[in-house]
Amino acid sequence: MRVLRYAVRIPFLLWHLLVHLPLTLLLMAPPLGNLRLAGGGRLHQRAVRLWSGGLMRVFGIRTRRIGHPVPGAVMFVANHVSWLDIVALHSQRMMGFVAKREIAGWPLVGWLAARGETIFHQRGSQESLGGVLHEMLARLRDGRAVGVFPEGRTRDGREVGPFHARIFLAAVEAGVPVQPVALRYGEHGSAQTVVAFAPGESFFGNFLRLLGEPARPADVVFLEPIAPGDTEGRRRIAETARERIVAAMAP
């Protein structure tokens, strides 16, 4: 069955890259990308959503949105399982992600991330983190959304790790809400460990393995937002956001 899935999906992947991607980039580029749509938002944001949703379908993943993303300036925070997390979130709402700098060198995904307003961070560098927080604050004050993975790295899918509180400073200073988002792969999150990187698995290896996996749903669960002033300080916001995501992951 895996061979059959490759036989079906690889042609769709090539079509998505060679035909849909150039069209998406055309719609993202000014002046077309700056056009406002009747339903709200701009054309480049809609183009990113459609292309990301299409890529999820190429992998046999049926994305389901539960809840509603907060409009305008907001910090989205999610559990981190896989490189697919960014694609899943972008299929629902345009946001500029904070991601490790290594992603910029990944084939295709890194190139797309750079054009998807990603803010790259060099892990372990306080200077880099300061620049990231400054850029996040500027975007939030400009009325734009940012997305972060407060665990700081992908995990094996078995648990949600601790959230680093410092990254929430930008939301506190900008006075914007923080909306937790639970990412669940498979029914009730049953495929978290399947989607996650296996020990020693490279990005390319994970990409190919997931391309041959059985079809499954993926839930993007937008949880109750934490309004500015709802909690005391960034540490409590981090704890509250994690608690809501963990509760949403429970079977």
Side-chain angles (χ1 to χ4, degrees):
M1 290 300 294
R2 179 173 287 269
V3 173
L4 179 59
R5 286 191 287 268
Y6 281 131
V8 172
R9 291 176 185 171
I10 287 176
F12 278 115
L13 176 62
L14 292 175
W15 180 267
H16 199 59
L17 296 178
L18 299 178
V19 178
H20 291 171
L21 182 56
L23 290 174
T24 299
L25 294 177
L26 177 63
L27 295 176
M28 289 176 64
L32 283 177
N34 294 327
L35 293 176
R36 287 195 174 275
L37 302 176
R42 296 184 183 275
L43 183 57
H44 78 274
Q45 298 172 333
R46 182 69 60 82
V48 169
R49 283 184 55 193
L50 292 174
W51 195 87
S52 299
L55 185 60
M56 295 292 282
R57 288 191 294 273
V58 167
F59 280 79
I61 299 175
R62 305 182 306 279
T63 308
R64 305 183 299 201
R65 183 171 74 186
I66 300 173
H68 299 282
V70 172
V74 56
M75 177 186 288
F76 294 101
V77 298
N79 55 308
H80 203 10
V81 184
S82 163
W83 60 270
L84 275 175
D85 300 343
I86 293 178
V87 184
L89 286 165
H90 263 165
S91 72
Q92 306 301 316
R93 172 76 148 82
M94 180 63 188
M95 60 189 81
F97 284 95
V98 176
K100 62 181 181 180
R101 190 171 300 278
E102 293 94 319
I103 290 178
W106 287 0
L108 177 64
V109 172
W111 184 77
L112 290 170
R115 282 150 184 80
E117 303 181 2
T118 299
I119 306 168
F120 292 110
H121 168 51
Q122 183 64 50
R123 289 189 298 186
S125 170
Q126 293 301 311
E127 181 180 356
S128 174
L129 181 57
V132 166
L133 290 171
H134 178 78
E135 178 62 23
M136 289 173 62
L137 183 59
R139 294 190 187 190
L140 292 171
R141 286 177 171 169
D142 191 41
R144 299 154 69 188
V146 298
V148 300
F149 300 108
E151 292 169 276
R153 62 180 178 85
T154 56
R155 295 180 178 269
D156 61 7
R158 300 182 189 280
E159 62 180 4
V160 179
F163 280 10
H164 299 288
R166 187 175 179 185
I167 201 71
F168 291 85
L169 180 61
V172 173
E173 293 195 357
V176 303
V178 171
Q179 185 167 28
V181 186
L183 299 175
R184 304 187 306 216
Y185 296 96
E187 291 292 350
H188 308 294
S190 59
Q192 300 294 97
T193 57
V194 175
V195 173
F197 286 94
E201 187 176 49
S202 67
F203 163 76
F204 189 66
N206 182 269
F207 186 98
L208 286 180
R209 179 170 62 80
L210 294 184
L211 190 62
E213 283 290 316
R216 56 174 50 95
D219 296 333
V220 183
V221 188
F222 291 94
L223 302 165
E224 179 185 356
I226 305 167
D230 271 4
T231 56
E232 298 178 1
R234 64 192 186 190
R235 190 169 301 280
R236 183 55 192 152
I237 294 176
E239 292 171 352
T240 301
R242 183 180 181 278
E243 288 168 1
R244 293 181 183 177
I245 289 174
V246 169
M249 296 300 297

